[in-house]
Amino acid sequence: MDEIAIYHTDVETALFDFFSGTSQALLDRYADVGREEARDRSLAELDYSSSLAVLSSVEAAVRLDYLRRAYDRWRDPLSKAMRKVYQRKGSRARLEEELIYLWGDVAALPKVLISGLLGAFQYRHWLAHGRYWTPKFGRQYDYVTVFIIAQNFICEMDAYNAAKR
């Protein structure tokens, strides 16, 4: 996730530099459109793509952890619960309904964190499926919000794993 944060900051800075400059490409491409409006649209797209990347990283971390628990046969309660899921579903366990649920229920991660993460995944579904409907998330999501939720979740995962080994 650190690489995503660095990339996001680099591209954001580049967009501000580009739209404040006088390059011929800028002048040609946005002659009929206000530069601030075009810049804001570009920044919004960056926000969407960075949010998607962060949430994809969280999914990868959860799924890798799940498979590690299934294969390595750890003895903590979360690993045992995940092995039961693995016996039924193998690598096709459902991310939100099974794996993240177990992190909240068995590992007892804070409910507010789990609900925030589940909401962020609803935001990801909206992003990934074309943004063609009007979302009803119950709160605003943006890159910063998603990053903070994801970072907090990964830290809690790491803390749980460190305590149970």
Side-chain angles (χ1 to χ4, degrees):
M1 285 192 354
D2 291 340
E3 290 86 10
I4 295 168
I6 291 167
Y7 174 79
H8 180 87
T9 302
D10 289 348
V11 173
E12 186 177 58
T13 301
L15 285 170
F16 276 108
D17 287 348
F18 176 73
F19 281 104
S20 67
T22 57
S23 75
Q24 194 59 46
L26 172 70
L27 298 174
D28 292 345
R29 189 174 308 138
Y30 299 107
D32 298 335
V33 180
R35 278 196 225 175
E36 285 95 23
E37 179 185 336
R39 181 200 62 215
D40 291 346
R41 283 195 316 249
S42 293
L43 289 169
E45 285 302 317
L46 173 63
D47 195 82
Y48 292 152
S49 63
S50 295
S51 296
L52 199 57
V54 165
L55 291 167
S56 295
S57 293
V58 171
E59 178 176 4
V62 169
R63 289 192 180 280
L64 287 171
D65 179 84
Y66 163 67
L67 293 173
R68 198 172 315 119
R69 288 173 189 286
Y71 297 147
D72 293 348
R73 303 190 57 78
W74 297 346
R75 298 190 186 286
D76 63 285
L78 179 61
S79 297
K80 289 176 182 178
M82 287 194 176
R83 268 197 308 282
K84 286 181 184 176
V85 171
Y86 187 81
Q87 288 168 354
R88 289 190 335 269
K89 300 277 186 109
S91 62
R92 294 181 183 215
R94 296 181 67 145
L95 177 69
E96 297 163 43
E97 296 85 356
E98 292 170 318
L99 303 181
I100 292 175
Y101 169 79
L102 289 174
W103 274 102
D105 191 47
V106 178
L109 266 57
K111 291 189 185 314
V112 68
L113 178 59
I114 296 299
S115 66
L117 184 62
L118 292 173
F121 274 109
Q122 290 304 310
Y123 178 61
R124 183 182 86 155
H125 295 312
W126 177 73
L127 291 172
H129 294 285
R131 301 176 266 176
Y132 66 88
W133 70 88
T134 303
K136 296 177 185 170
F137 300 126
R139 72 182 278 189
Q140 285 293 118
Y141 287 96
D142 60 8
Y143 166 72
V144 173
T145 303
V146 166
F147 189 88
I148 290 168
I149 291 168
Q151 189 173 46
N152 289 340
F153 181 78
I154 295 296
C155 286
E156 289 285 340
M157 279 181 67
D158 291 346
Y160 178 88
N161 287 338
K164 297 300 177 181
R165 283 196 189 168

